[in-house]
Amino acid sequence: MKQLLTGNEAVVQGAYEAGVTYACAYPGTPSTEILENIAAYKEEITAEWAPNEKTALESSIGACYAGARSLAAMKMVGVNVAADPLFSFSYSGVNGGLVLVSADDPGMHSSQNEQDNRYYAKFAKLAMLEPSNSQECRDMIKAAYEISEKFNTPILFRMTTRVSHSKSLVEAGERTPIEKKPYVKNLQKYDLVPAVSRVLHRKVEERLKDLEQFSNETDINFIEWNDKAIGIISSGVAYEYAREVFGNSASYLKLGFTYPLPMEKIQQFAAQVKTLYVIEELEPYLEEQIKAAGIACIGKEKIPVLGELTPDIIAKVLLNKENSLIAYDDSSVANRPPSLCAGCPHRGFFYALAKRKNIMISGDIGCYGLGGAEPLLAKDMSVCMGASISVGHGAQQTFTKFQDKYRVVATIGDSTFFHTGVNSLMHIAYNQSKTVTCILDNRITGMTGHQENPGTGYTLQGKPTKIVDIPELCKAIGIEHIRIINPNDLTEVNDALDWALSLDEPSVIITRWPCVLKKHSTEDKSEFGDYRTNCDVDLNKCIGCKACIKTGCPALRFDKPIKKVKIDSAQCIGCGVCQQVCPVKAIAKVAK
């Protein structure tokens, strides 16, 4: 039966059919929906959120060693976090098959860089598959487990945003019951000490030769012969774009198994076409290897290395064709950069923090990253997930050493704190910098779509579980000065900042208030009550000073004809931050 599925949903369908029984991930766009959908198979598959990608991969490795087919999923920067176990795991190989899904983000729609994770397969010596559409996602994930077990190799399953989120028809099948493989103690395979790893490295090199032979023979890499004046080698979604532009006017070598490359098949194809293009998104991964083999081709001289590829770009750079666009008046299009939601509990905290002088604000990845946007401007830097605390610590140690006037405030969310922030806070406690660490606990993993985490009290599959108590965790790793506040109360926020900045030792401020978009749990209702209401402006009192507008709340707007502020009741939830900054008390809470 055919179903309309996204690439992520098709990966789940394929994994289900392939007999996967364990899956683990840390949420991150564009990979998040894989675990959210696989969690529905509660009887067949144990699905778990992990605190970070390294933990997710390591847990999947454990399931694989025990004999089960397992899956780990993450966005491309998450593979950096998981790289340590990944490179070693390549040496031991698998027992039950294992697939690591890397969802890359060309164009950086929601990422801090634009890395091309195909290089991880070559670097870590893993077999790699690249689907181009949803049907291939389903088909290739099933093939991946067969290849993993046949060749004793982990599989890197590389997707991109368009493949993950685009929908197309998928012919689905039934689940194939797969017996768990028996676990047999084998120190010469699983105990990666130097004496063992030296032997295993030779086996990995032999494995790559066998995989290249397979790459040349498998129909996952196939040729479509048409006019031979132009030959195109491509993979992933770039193949779909090339097909759309050239149609049957060119011949194609479509690569789905992209490490090791089928160099014999590539040479045969290249020898029969007059002009050879290599069309790929981001880095010249295919092109470099093809040129290194002495095969002439045209690639990144024409195809841009930056950003997401499109059929329009291919048509323009290779055929000098430009599609006509619908004309419109762009002056009427409002510039709407991303901002914190109306009623976001981070807003009040950032509003107060931004008014401090001689403060360096070290930010992190998540909703709180938006605190750096205008009008709040409450951020100086952001490097990667979990880095705000340790980056802030290094800066603070330097300011202190040179008796600089600056103090550092590091901001991080609850999920990101669990991800890798907790390690950085240990570093602060151990080395005693006077960095102020602010953990913005909104009771959920906010930006990726409200996934549970160790602090929420529920597992991915809805089972109530132990809650990691953030204040107690901070105490346990050596932080003595901790304060918990309501971030919507600006007096409370300012008092906490005064207190923390007066200390000459490490301190932690925890803001605790649920995300405005969160579906409240029983525990949330008990702790926070039914607080949602509306704020309204008394136009007779409003003096049009725009002080409330400077909080950055999208529910507020300045009405130019009357020079007064108005509040959109549909967006407002009555957090009261604007009410607190109004100098003439023109804003009051009213019934929702």
Side-chain angles (χ1 to χ4, degrees):
M1 181 180 72
K2 287 192 174 183
Q3 303 175 43
L4 189 62
L5 299 178
T6 66
N8 284 346
E9 291 167 340
V11 164
V12 171
Q13 180 64 33
Y16 169 75
E17 292 180 27
V20 167
T21 58
Y22 182 84
C24 198
Y26 182 81
T29 304
S31 69
T32 307
E33 299 83 3
I34 294 173
L35 259 285
E36 287 182 331
N37 284 281
I38 214 168
Y41 296 107
K42 293 184 180 181
E43 294 297 322
E44 300 88 355
I45 302 173
T46 299
E48 298 176 331
W49 290 129
N52 62 40
E53 296 84 357
K54 178 174 180 287
T55 308
L57 177 59
E58 289 167 345
S59 301
S60 299
I61 291 172
C64 149
Y65 281 173
R69 285 187 169 183
S70 64
L71 179 145
M74 53 200 70
K75 67 181 297 177
M76 79 289 188
V77 289
V79 180
N80 302 337
V81 181
D84 193 9
L86 180 63
F87 278 65
S88 299
F89 177 46
S90 173
Y91 277 32
S92 74
V94 304
N95 186 20
L98 185 143
V99 173
L100 167 60
V101 180
S102 168
D104 294 5
D105 186 17
M108 293 181 281
H109 298 284
S110 60
S111 305
Q112 61 269 42
N113 71 41
E114 200 172 32
Q115 69 190 51
D116 187 333
N117 275 8
R118 292 180 296 176
Y119 288 97
Y120 264 116
K122 191 168 185 287
F123 194 11
K125 301 178 186 293
L126 310 169
M128 176 167 62
L129 283 88
E130 279 189 82
S132 296
N133 53 48
S134 296
Q135 184 67 60
E136 287 193 350
C137 286
R138 177 264 184 187
D139 296 345
M140 283 191 188
I141 207 85
K142 294 184 71 175
Y145 283 99
E146 300 294 333
I147 296 166
S148 176
E149 293 178 356
K150 180 178 180 181
F151 291 96
N152 187 33
T153 178
I155 302 290
L156 184 72
F157 198 80
R158 194 255 189 173
M159 299 172 66
T160 56
T161 302
R162 293 295 155 186
V163 176
S164 288
H165 290 166
S166 297
K167 283 196 171 188
S168 57
L169 286 173
V170 174
E171 184 71 49
E174 299 298 323
R175 180 175 173 87
T176 304
I178 301 292
E179 291 290 327
K180 185 187 87 64
K181 291 190 172 183
Y183 169 73
V184 178
K185 183 175 181 177
N186 186 349
L187 292 175
Q188 299 308 309
K189 177 176 172 64
Y190 300 127
D191 185 23
L192 299 176
V193 296
V196 173
S197 296
R198 289 189 196 103
V199 176
L200 290 176
H201 189 182
R202 292 193 190 95
K203 293 183 177 179
V204 169
E205 297 301 329
E206 292 167 5
R207 181 179 80 197
L208 288 175
K209 292 176 184 175
D210 293 340
L211 284 168
E212 181 171 352
Q213 184 62 32
F214 174 79
S215 184
N216 279 303
E217 295 171 354
T218 180
D219 58 9
I220 296 173
N221 297 324
F222 60 88
I223 295 173
E224 298 173 1
W225 287 120
N226 296 300
D227 191 321
K228 294 184 178 179
I230 295 176
I232 294 171
I233 298 176
S234 191
S235 66
V237 76
Y239 161 76
E240 302 287 349
Y241 297 158
R243 205 71 184 73
E244 185 173 331
V245 172
F246 287 92
N248 291 333
S249 67
S251 294
Y252 303 88
L253 172 50
K254 159 67 165 66
L255 301 178
F257 190 94
T258 48
Y259 193 75
L261 286 180
M263 204 52 73
E264 191 177 314
K265 188 175 282 186
I266 290 171
Q267 287 169 333
Q268 292 171 358
F269 179 77
Q272 296 188 56
V273 297
K274 185 176 180 182
T275 301
L276 179 62
Y277 292 125
V278 178
I279 299 178
E280 55 190 326
E281 210 168 32
L282 296 181
E283 301 295 325
Y285 166 81
L286 302 173
E287 180 186 339
E288 285 177 349
Q289 295 181 71
I290 291 169
K291 284 183 173 174
I295 301 169
C297 61
I298 298 168
K300 291 301 172 186
E301 312 91 299
K302 299 273 189 179
I303 304 291
V305 76
L306 303 176
E308 194 172 20
L309 202 56
T310 66
D312 284 347
I313 293 172
I314 294 171
K316 183 177 180 181
V317 300
L318 296 185
L319 300 177
N320 198 28
K321 289 183 179 176
E322 286 196 60
N323 291 329
S324 58
L325 301 174
I326 299 172
Y328 67 97
D329 179 7
D330 60 3
S331 66
S332 63
V333 179
N335 182 20
R336 298 191 63 185
S339 66
L340 295 170
C341 299
C344 173
H346 303 330
R347 174 173 288 100
F349 179 81
F350 282 130
Y351 177 80
L353 179 60
K355 292 190 173 303
R356 300 279 164 161
K357 303 296 183 186
N358 301 324
I359 296 289
M360 172 192 276
I361 303 173
S362 180
D364 219 289
I365 306 300
C367 298
Y368 28 91
L370 300 174
E374 291 184 342
L376 296 173
L377 297 174
K379 186 172 70 173
D380 286 71
M381 63 196 70
S382 175
V383 178
C384 67
M385 187 83 89
S388 63
I389 302 175
S390 39
V391 168
H393 167 75
Q396 185 63 74
Q397 291 290 57
T398 303
F399 290 145
T400 302
K401 182 180 180 65
F402 290 92
Q403 298 181 328
D404 201 310
K405 60 187 177 183
Y406 273 94
R407 289 293 300 274
V408 177
V409 176
T411 61
I412 190 167
D414 48 335
S415 183
T416 316
F417 177 68
F418 294 128
H419 181 274
T420 40
V422 63
N423 303 294
S424 302
L425 190 60
M426 282 184 219
H427 186 49
I428 284 182
Y430 175 59
N431 291 290
Q432 288 289 294
S433 71
K434 56 183 180 182
T435 310
V436 179
T437 301
C438 301
I439 303 171
L440 310 182
D441 180 5
N442 63 0
R443 313 302 304 130
I444 202 71
T445 309
M447 182 168 266
T448 47
H450 291 186
Q451 291 74 32
E452 307 290 351
N453 65 51
T456 64
Y458 293 90
T459 69
L460 168 59
Q461 293 181 312
K463 180 181 174 185
T465 187
K466 296 279 188 183
I467 294 178
V468 175
D469 187 294
I470 294 176
E472 291 299 321
L473 179 58
C474 294
K475 287 179 191 173
I477 61 177
I479 301 295
E480 296 180 1
H481 306 288
I482 301 168
R483 188 172 284 193
I484 304 167
I485 62 170
N486 172 2
N488 292 326
D489 186 327
L490 297 185
T491 301
E492 207 171 322
V493 172
N494 280 315
D495 286 348
L497 288 171
D498 289 343
W499 162 79
L501 293 169
S502 70
L503 298 171
D504 202 32
E505 297 180 30
S507 62
V508 169
I509 298 172
I510 301 168
T511 70
R512 187 176 169 94
W513 201 263
C515 171
V516 64
L517 301 178
K518 186 190 178 193
K519 182 181 179 182
H520 288 184
S521 65
T522 304
E523 292 77 8
D524 290 332
K525 291 174 182 173
S526 174
E527 180 176 352
F528 302 103
D530 185 12
Y531 61 87
R532 288 186 169 95
T533 182
N534 267 151
C535 285
D536 199 10
V537 180
D538 184 338
L539 296 181
N540 293 320
K541 291 183 179 178
C542 179
I543 58 175
C545 68
K546 302 183 185 177
C548 56
I549 296 288
K550 292 175 184 172
T551 65
C553 179
L556 300 168
R557 67 178 178 86
F558 188 71
D559 191 328
K560 287 183 180 177
I562 62 172
K563 296 183 179 178
K564 307 280 186 181
V565 169
K566 291 184 176 177
I567 296 177
D568 179 358
S569 61
Q571 294 190 66
C572 178
I573 59 99
C575 70
V577 171
C578 60
Q579 182 185 11
Q580 295 170 72
V581 304
C582 177
V584 294
K585 308 300 180 190
I587 302 175
K589 290 187 179 181
V590 296
K592 185 80 174 175

